[in-house]
Amino acid sequence: MTAPRSYKAICFDLDGTLLPMDIDEFMDAYFGSIYQYVAEHGLNAPQFMEGLKAGTKAMASHQDERTNAQAFWDEFFQHVDETAAPWQELLETYYETVFDGIGAEVKANPAVARSLQCLKEKGYPLVVATMPMFPLVAVQKRLGWAGVDPELFDRITHYENSRAIKPKPQYYGEVLAALGLSGDDVLMVGNNTLEDLSFMKLGADGYLITDWLLDPVSLDLATVKHSSMEDFERWVQELPACTDPANTIQAGVVDADARQETFDALGVTAHGDAHSQAQALAAADFANAHGEEQ
């Protein structure tokens, strides 16, 4: 394995990386759970699912300055009666109460928490760079299933603070803008050769966790650092301390001027290209496919 680069921050994917869970099983359980929750409240669950799927696709397709949350709700209410329920409050209660049931059988890998604690003690700023299609509370809950304290992280991407989704370069450009860094300063740790390693196109280093590997691009693994989570822990232990960490990290929505300045430096266009747009829509279609039978 090649000698490690010097990093000023380390980013982690969540599902299949920090959280040992099959994404297909998770999405199936999620859609079934939220459908039942809405139905139990006497609401039109099939109509709700139509709005949920349309909102998910809107998060992938919008090319403006709205956050993903704004894009979601704008489209959701094109399909669902806005006056039928206090929808945002209803879903917040779902995530605070019922959502945890999905993770009840998850067995956290203790190497995850140990690796993160080791990196934190060495001074590395940590970021959860997960697909930002859920509210913050849902991401925090999933971190809990992984046996991880959300307070370890300086930034967590979610649908309220993000304007794009993986694998768009706009998503990763926004992460860099929030960190105040260039791609060369960052390590991205994930399990998906497309959605996670797309960050490498902006200069980031990559590390694949292979326990729950997803390889839609048929990558030659010899071209990137990769291992099990247990071996990643050993690799982390050998990393030197972080001597020049990112120190102006934004946890919330990134300032539009800072975002554009970063995009200009990276050569990223605000609206992206047809290829990255198609990849993001494919990710949304994947998620939606798991709600078809509800």
Side-chain angles (χ1 to χ4, degrees), residues 61-81:
S61 63
H62 80 102
Q63 302 188 66
D64 50 47
E65 289 303 302
R66 290 179 298 166
T67 64
N68 292 342
Q70 291 166 337
F72 173 85
W73 289 109
D74 286 348
E75 184 62 29
F76 179 84
F77 289 128
Q78 297 299 312
H79 302 268
V80 177
D81 180 5

Side-chain angles (χ1 to χ4, degrees), residues 213-281:
L213 179 66
L214 294 174
D215 185 19
V217 300
S218 300
L219 180 74
D220 178 1
L221 293 184
T223 63
V224 64
K225 287 188 282 293
H226 66 279
S227 74
S228 67
M229 180 55 73
E230 284 74 15
D231 284 340
F232 175 75
E233 180 188 1
R234 286 186 277 274
W235 184 82
V236 161
Q237 290 170 349
E238 296 175 0
L239 276 182
C242 183
T243 58
D244 186 21
N247 55 20
T248 57
I249 300 172
Q250 299 180 56
V253 178
V254 176
D255 175 79
D257 291 339
R259 180 175 182 260
Q260 188 58 55
E261 183 178 343
T262 300
F263 282 10
D264 290 344
L266 294 168
V268 172
T269 61
H271 301 311
D273 56 33
H275 182 61
S276 64
Q277 184 75 353
Q279 290 176 329
L281 284 167

Side-chain angles (χ1 to χ4, degrees), residues 80-136:
V80 177
D81 180 5
E82 186 170 0
T83 65
W87 288 105
Q88 296 192 39
E89 293 85 349
L90 189 73
L91 293 190
E92 183 176 348
T93 301
Y94 165 78
Y95 289 115
E96 289 285 3
T97 57
V98 178
F99 186 64
D100 262 337
I102 299 174
E105 301 302 319
V106 173
K107 291 180 172 57
N109 184 343
V112 170
R114 292 194 300 262
S115 297
L116 294 172
Q117 189 60 44
C118 181
L119 289 169
K120 202 67 176 177
E121 291 172 357
K122 291 184 177 188
Y124 289 94
L126 304 179
V127 175
V128 177
T130 186
M131 183 70 86
M133 288 180 149
F134 284 92
L136 176 59

Side-chain angles (χ1 to χ4, degrees), residues 167-189:
K168 287 184 177 181
Q170 291 77 16
Y171 168 77
Y172 287 112
E174 194 167 64
V175 170
L176 291 176
L179 295 172
L181 300 176
S182 67
D184 291 342
D185 300 321
V186 177
L187 173 68
M188 178 67 199
V189 182

Side-chain angles (χ1 to χ4, degrees), residues 27 30-31 34-35 45-61 71-72 75-77 79-80 91 133 280-281 283-294:
M27 293 305 299
Y30 168 66
F31 277 117
I34 201 166
Y35 181 96
Q47 185 184 80
F48 167 80
M49 293 302 294
E50 181 181 351
L52 181 65
K53 289 185 285 184
T56 299
K57 191 168 185 177
M59 289 190 282
S61 63
F72 173 85
E75 184 62 29
F76 179 84
F77 289 128
H79 302 268
V80 177
L91 293 190
M133 288 180 149
L281 284 167
D285 286 342
F286 167 81
N288 284 338
H290 292 262
E292 291 295 336
E293 295 181 0
Q294 303 301 331

Side-chain angles (χ1 to χ4, degrees), residues 5 172 183-184 186-188 192-208 219 223-225:
R5 282 163 45 173
Y172 287 112
D184 291 342
V186 177
L187 173 68
M188 178 67 199
N192 189 305
T193 58
L194 172 61
E195 292 182 3
D196 300 324
L197 296 192
S198 288
F199 206 169
M200 297 178 74
K201 296 177 182 178
L202 300 186
D205 199 8
Y207 197 120
L208 272 177
L219 180 74
T223 63
V224 64
K225 287 188 282 293

